[in-house]
């Protein structure tokens, strides 16, 4: 089976390509490398001993998409390509709507034209807004608190409407919680541009001595230690979830939606403590103001994915921190060295 992976050079995409190749799938990638490096693709090829057919193109480029579907015999698409920084989305909303929403519509139109109607879509726990209770189940009310989240919600709505109109589609909407960590080889991992926005990539740079101290965004939340709680999930577990979703689509699943999380939350301070164990160093931190838009607690009920996909996250917080640090330690400048 041949899978088109949009955004396959990115953080989650590269880990998913690796699992796909190891499971015997053929992989075609389209990525404009706006937030990634071709080096990630090369390393996945080296780790697996298999080739990826790579197209350096934009999903907004309809001609390029048509060409790919014309040449390659695509059976299913895993759609990662998009912009994902919440803060940036507030500064440049039009760019986010264009790339994420218009880009997805472009892709769907070309898929429809070529009668490739099997799609796995990267959604996010952000579509639950500020949930009234935890753990979060798939049927909780949806809302968005920023333009990035709104793009995910709009795309989900588009996919639900598309499926209502044409039951020939098989669509898996996967709502990721907080992916962290890296492949255990330390060859591929997360390589954000500039100063990281997300907690664990930031901690990794403090552990390497590149940044001075961690800013803890608020310690007055209604949680045991006052800091925010999130459902951190190892990126390899997440990648494997995509294989399970593809398997399910191939059985004509229709439209399905799953939370991909571990079901357990860790606070910011707990993450710092676990990371200290992984890097065997004390990590300095200061408590600063809350970050606007942050919620206190988010963690998943992932039992639906277990029941229907036979998937559950098996890697714990120790492995997440160990693999994050291993990647950062081996690649202090990410892919750019
Ligand atoms: P990433 O930025 O590492 O990967 C996205 C990839 O898409 C990059 O390689 C980038 O170059 C590519 N891309 C961006 N715009 C493109 C375009 N117009 N045409 C072609 N390629 C383009 O991000 P990631 O963390 O791997 O996230 C993958 C997907 O998962 C995204 O859709 C993101 O919104 C979603 N997601 C991520 C998280 C997270 O915390 N990382 C959580 C929930 C959902
Ligand atoms: C985690 C916790 C912060 C940085 C974001 C997106 C979400 C999804 C995943 C794509 C929070 C605290 C953070 C720091 C801190 N992405 N923190 N100091 O905000 O849960 O989710 O990434 O879909 O949509 O919003 O992740 O890693 O930024 O924050 O104290 O320097 O760490 O306040 O409690 P978040 P995060």
């Amino acid at each position: 089976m041949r899978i088109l992976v949009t955004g396959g050079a990115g953080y989650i995409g590269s880990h998913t390509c690796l699992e796909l190749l190891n499971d015997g799938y053929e992989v075609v990638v389209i990525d404009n490398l706006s937030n990634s490096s071709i080096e990630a693709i090369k390393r996945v090829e080296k780790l697996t001993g298999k080739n990826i057919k790579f197209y350096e193109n934009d999903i907004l480029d309809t001609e390029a998409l048509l060409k790919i579907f014309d040449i390659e015999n695509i059976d299913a698409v895993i759609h990662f390509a998009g912009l994902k920084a919440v803060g940036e989305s507030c500064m440049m909303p039009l760019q986010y709507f264009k790339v994420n929403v218009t880009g997805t519509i472009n892709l769907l139109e070309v898929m429809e034209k070529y009668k490739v109607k099997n799609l796995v879509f990267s959604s996010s726990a952000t579509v639950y807004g500020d949930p009234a209770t935890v753990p979060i189940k798939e049927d909780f009310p949806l809302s968005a608190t920023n333009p990035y989240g709104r793009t995910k919600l709009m795309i989900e709505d588009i996919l639900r409407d598309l499926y209502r109109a044409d039951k020939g589609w098989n669509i898996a909407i996967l709502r990721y919680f907080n992916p962290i960590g890296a492949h255990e080889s330390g060859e591929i991992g997360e390589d954000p541009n500039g100063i990281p926005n997300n907690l664990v990539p930031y901690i990794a740079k403090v552990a390497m001595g590149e940044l001075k101290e961690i800013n803890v965004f608020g310690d007055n939340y209604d949680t045991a230690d006052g800091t925010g709680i999130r459902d951190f999930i190892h990126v390899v577990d997440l990648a494997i979830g995509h294989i399970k979703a593809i398997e399910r689509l191939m059985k004509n699943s229709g439209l399905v939606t799953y939370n991909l999380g571990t079901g357990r939350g860790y606070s910011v301070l707990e993450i710092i403590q676990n990371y200290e164990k992984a890097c065997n160093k004390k990590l300095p931190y200061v408590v600063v103001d809350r970050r606007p838009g942050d919620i206190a607690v988010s963690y998943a009920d992932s039992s639906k994915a277990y029941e229907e996909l036979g998937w559950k996250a098996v890697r714990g917080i120790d492995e997440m921190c160990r693999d994050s640090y291993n990647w950062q330690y081996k690649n202090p400048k990410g892919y750019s060295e």
Side-chain angles (χ1 to χ4, degrees):
M1 249 184 54
R2 189 173 299 197
I3 314 289
L4 175 66
V5 183
T6 76
Y11 172 45
I12 307 170
S14 56
H15 288 81
T16 303
C17 288
L18 187 147
E19 297 301 327
L20 285 167
L21 290 169
N22 280 342
D23 267 15
Y25 291 90
E26 292 178 88
V27 175
V28 178
V29 166
I30 173 172
D31 197 305
N32 67 358
L33 302 180
S34 59
N35 195 36
S36 54
S37 163
I38 189 67
E39 181 62 21
I41 297 287
K42 290 186 185 152
R43 292 194 187 180
V44 171
E45 291 183 324
K46 202 172 126 210
L47 284 166
T48 57
K50 295 183 178 163
N51 290 330
I52 290 175
K53 188 84 179 282
F54 181 75
Y55 291 88
E56 186 177 343
N57 285 117
D58 199 302
I59 54 165
L60 290 167
D61 180 350
T62 309
E63 292 307 313
L65 283 173
L66 287 167
K67 194 182 101 195
I68 294 170
F69 277 81
D70 210 33
I71 298 174
E72 311 292 344
N73 223 339
I74 304 295
D75 296 297
V77 177
I78 305 182
H79 179 34
F80 293 108
L83 304 176
K84 64 160 182 178
V86 172
E88 189 182 63
S89 80
C90 300
M91 318 278 287
M92 37 200 290
L94 295 180
Q95 187 65 9
Y96 271 68
F97 288 113
K98 187 161 139 190
V99 173
N100 292 6
V101 181
T102 310
T104 302
I105 293 173
N106 260 1
L107 174 69
L108 293 169
E109 281 181 341
V110 175
M111 289 176 71
E112 188 166 57
K113 181 166 174 27
Y114 281 84
K115 300 192 170 49
V116 179
K117 294 187 178 178
N118 300 311
L119 174 76
V120 179
F121 173 64
S122 299
S123 190
S124 167
T126 193
V127 298
Y128 295 113
D130 193 352
T133 57
V134 281
I136 300 169
K137 290 174 84 79
E138 286 84 353
D139 59 3
F140 274 26
L142 305 179
S143 68
T145 52
N146 57 70
Y148 166 73
R150 224 156 349 256
T151 68
K152 291 292 174 189
L153 209 45
M154 286 171 80
I155 297 165
E156 283 203 6
D157 282 333
I158 290 168
L159 294 175
R160 284 185 281 267
D161 281 340
L162 179 62
Y163 179 68
R164 255 176 234 126
D166 177 0
K167 297 285 187 310
W169 283 86
N170 292 301
I171 300 172
I173 294 175
L174 303 182
R175 296 181 181 145
Y176 315 151
F177 280 66
N178 288 58
I180 61 168
H183 188 254
E184 64 170 8
S185 64
E187 291 292 313
I188 56 172
E190 187 168 13
D191 183 18
N193 283 326
I195 296 175
N197 298 307
N198 297 114
L199 178 66
V200 171
Y202 198 102
I203 294 179
K205 301 246 178 231
V206 174
M208 292 297 295
E210 217 182 291
L211 293 170
K212 192 167 84 130
E213 60 197 3
I214 303 153
N215 297 307
V216 173
F217 296 149
D219 66 351
N220 55 359
Y221 285 103
D222 188 14
T223 61
D225 66 20
T227 66
I229 291 178
R230 295 291 182 274
D231 187 338
F232 295 94
I233 172 169
H234 196 296
V235 67
V236 173
D237 279 328
L238 192 63
I240 293 168
H242 292 73
I243 314 274
K244 299 286 184 191
I246 288 280
E247 288 169 3
R248 177 109 168 95
L249 294 188
M250 291 305 136
K251 293 182 195 143
N252 284 323
S253 61
L255 185 142
V256 288
T257 305
Y258 300 108
N259 285 341
L260 297 186
T262 65
R264 143 142 221 200
Y266 285 92
S267 74
V268 173
L269 293 183
E270 285 174 323
I271 293 298
I272 295 174
Q273 281 154 15
N274 277 283
Y275 213 97
E276 284 178 337
K277 276 196 276 161
C279 67
N280 201 20
K281 274 181 211 164
K282 202 83 198 130
L283 297 173
Y285 69 84
V286 284
V287 176
V288 298
D289 286 348
R290 290 182 180 193
R291 182 171 63 181
D294 275 353
I295 59 174
V297 184
S298 162
Y299 57 90
D301 179 333
S302 279
S303 53
K304 190 177 170 209
Y306 183 59
E307 282 152 22
E308 296 185 15
L309 300 178
W311 173 90
K312 75 172 191 215
V314 296
R315 290 162 182 79
I317 199 68
D318 292 350
E319 287 147 296
M320 297 183 215
C321 293
R322 177 199 70 194
D323 293 338
S324 160
Y325 184 61
N326 182 43
W327 150 255
Q328 198 66 60
Y329 185 80
K330 281 181 138 178
N331 307 272
K333 298 264 176 283
Y335 290 116
S336 61
E337 257 186 3

